[in-house]
Amino acid sequence: MKYLTTAAAVLALCGPAYAADDITVGFAIAKSGWMEAYDTPAATAAKIRIDEINANGGLLGRQIKWVESDTKTDRAQAAKAGLQLIDEGADMMVVSCDYDFGAPAALSADAEGMVSFFLCAEDVKAGIQGVGPYSFSGSVLAPVQGATMAEWSHAKRNARTGYVLLDTTIEYNKGICTGFDWMFPRLEGTEIVGRDTFKNDDASIASQISRIKALPTQPDVIMLCSYIPGAASAVRQLRAAGIESLILNGSAVDGSYWLDATPNLSNFVVPVQGSIYGDDPRPEVEAFNKAYEATVGARPASSYAYPGYVLMDLWAKAVERAGTLDGAAVTAELEKMRNEATVFGPRSFTSELHHQNFAEMQIIEITDGKPQAVDNWTISEAVPLDVLLK
């Protein structure tokens, strides 16, 4: 299969008329509510890959069509959406980025023996451990992001002391900190000198800041495990208080859309699966960015679009190898994948883990309010399953 063909990049997402024997992909995703900001870009990327596959002859000699149902960022509605798509004849289901909001639809698919993919969930439960044997995610686990930040900052910024600031609102945040907590103490000469928690909608983290400032010296790094808008509020307050430590976070804060809330921000770093800024070292990534722009009229706002493209590519490869849409057969082929090539780097699955617990990440640093790719990093060892399950 060819990636990112010019013709496919400009195909309308609604696609042509389909025959009765076409393959149907069901999208149980948020088209409204706060999850829409994550689901729509990744779903758009998945549909771009569908168009490319169709333009290159289809899958198993058949064209792929898609149907979708709005989960409205609501768990109960997600369960209904999954059942609706099954009734509409879905052969495979794509569900919301977040485990909590995608799981109800994925559980419906799993009960039917149907493969499902979370668009960009980064919690291990969005797979075998939380849904069942036919559930996968197209993204890289949150603990990998935290571990990447720990090892990279130690190697490249001489980080020896760290402070962990955890937003306990969603499981994703906890995963980032889990990875940092696992990796950082394993590195030479390091110490976690403190930790604290807050909620994403807290108006103030003044007490947490006071505890950081009470330390004998500021920590080299602050591992901030949060998402927008809480992350932006926390960063703004930390800098306003005169804390200049290198701030680390996960991929959820990728993008420049929030930076007006933190004017001239510097010394802030995140790991991502690819750069949206035109400076990714892999030409294929920029080719995707342009294909996305040709399709919707704008470049991806964050790297969370990318896992949608990856999941559709991997699923289609597994279907071709299995020679069938049968969930068990396709799952078996997915679980054989080891360092399977994709536009955004190699991907692997096993019978124990339907996620990425080891991956190359691009390092994005914000300096004077401008993000850019400054490095790439692959952690020295995969995050173990027992750590992922904490």
Side-chain angles (χ1 to χ4, degrees):
M1 297 179 187
K2 293 182 179 180
Y3 290 118
L4 304 169
T5 58
T6 302
V10 297
L11 286 175
L13 291 182
C14 60
Y18 293 98
D21 62 348
D22 287 329
I23 294 168
T24 301
V25 173
F27 287 84
I29 60 172
K31 296 172 69 64
S32 54
W34 70 267
M35 276 300 301
E36 186 274 336
Y38 293 93
D39 285 4
T40 292
T44 297
K47 293 167 188 174
I48 288 173
R49 186 67 188 124
I50 288 174
D51 284 343
E52 292 175 350
I53 293 168
N54 285 339
N56 283 284
L59 185 60
L60 300 179
R62 300 156 64 183
Q63 292 286 286
I64 305 172
K65 69 176 182 179
W66 53 268
V67 293
E68 64 185 10
S69 181
D70 185 6
T71 66
K72 303 178 181 179
T73 314
D74 180 84
R75 293 173 178 84
Q77 187 61 37
K80 294 176 183 177
L83 293 172
Q84 175 188 331
L85 295 173
I86 291 169
D87 288 344
E88 292 183 20
D91 296 300
M92 175 267 203
M93 195 176 299
V94 177
V95 304
S96 277
C97 271
D98 182 68
Y99 165 72
D100 295 311
F101 292 93
L107 285 164
S108 299
D110 213 76
E112 294 290 317
M114 180 191 301
V115 171
S116 67
F117 265 90
F118 286 78
L119 278 169
C120 52
E122 294 165 351
D123 180 342
V124 71
K125 294 190 294 296
I128 301 169
Q129 288 74 20
V131 175
Y134 304 115
S135 177
F136 294 79
S137 176
S139 200
V140 175
L141 285 163
V144 176
Q145 300 168 31
T148 298
M149 288 289 84
E151 199 169 52
W152 178 84
S153 64
H154 178 268
K156 296 300 184 77
R157 296 298 169 86
N158 201 35
R160 296 298 182 267
T161 58
Y163 196 96
V164 177
L165 188 54
L166 168 63
D167 170 359
T168 60
T169 308
I170 60 174
E171 292 300 313
Y172 165 79
N173 300 336
K174 299 172 188 176
I176 303 170
C177 279
T178 293
F180 185 86
D181 284 338
W182 169 71
M183 178 62 84
F184 197 69
R186 299 161 67 88
L187 305 172
E188 183 178 358
T190 59
E191 180 184 4
I192 294 177
V193 296
R195 60 180 67 247
D196 225 321
T197 63
F198 70 106
K199 292 285 189 182
N200 198 267
D201 59 358
D202 285 350
S204 171
I205 59 165
S207 58
Q208 294 89 334
I209 287 173
S210 294
R211 286 188 281 273
I212 295 173
K213 297 194 74 172
L215 294 169
T217 58
Q218 288 190 9
D220 296 327
V221 294
I222 295 174
M223 185 68 248
L224 174 63
C225 306
S226 186
Y227 62 98
I228 304 300
S233 175
V235 169
R236 183 173 62 250
Q237 293 176 66
L238 287 164
R239 290 295 189 246
I243 296 172
E244 298 300 328
S245 304
L246 177 66
I247 300 177
L248 313 171
N249 209 320
S251 303
V253 296
D254 183 32
S256 59
Y257 60 93
W258 60 275
L259 292 178
D260 286 346
T262 56
N264 302 313
L265 177 64
S266 291
N267 220 21
F268 186 95
V269 178
V270 298
V272 297
Q273 295 172 58
S275 175
I276 63 173
Y277 307 107
D279 53 8
D280 195 288
R282 301 160 296 183
E284 299 86 356
V285 173
E286 184 57 20
F288 170 83
N289 292 334
K290 292 178 179 178
Y292 187 98
E293 183 176 19
T295 302
V296 303
R299 291 170 65 88
S302 85
S303 56
Y304 272 96
Y306 300 154
Y309 189 90
V310 169
L311 77 85
M312 194 55 59
D313 183 54
L314 295 176
W315 175 75
K317 288 178 178 178
V319 169
E320 288 284 3
R321 293 168 189 174
T324 177
L325 295 166
D326 176 74
V330 174
T331 292
E333 291 299 327
L334 285 164
E335 290 177 347
K336 294 176 185 176
M337 290 181 173
R338 299 292 185 274
N339 296 318
E340 188 74 33
T342 80
V343 168
F344 302 98
R347 299 290 183 259
S348 302
F349 297 114
T350 71
S351 59
E352 292 186 335
L353 189 63
H354 289 176
H355 288 265
Q356 308 307 305
N357 65 340
F358 181 85
E360 177 184 309
M361 304 296 286
Q362 304 302 309
I363 308 301
I364 304 297
E365 181 165 9
I366 297 171
T367 302
D368 293 329
K370 296 180 181 179
Q372 65 176 21
V374 296
D375 205 351
N376 59 73
W377 194 264
T378 304
I379 51 177
S380 56
E381 58 182 299
V383 183
L385 186 58
D386 64 329
V387 173
L388 297 175
L389 291 172
K390 284 184 178 179

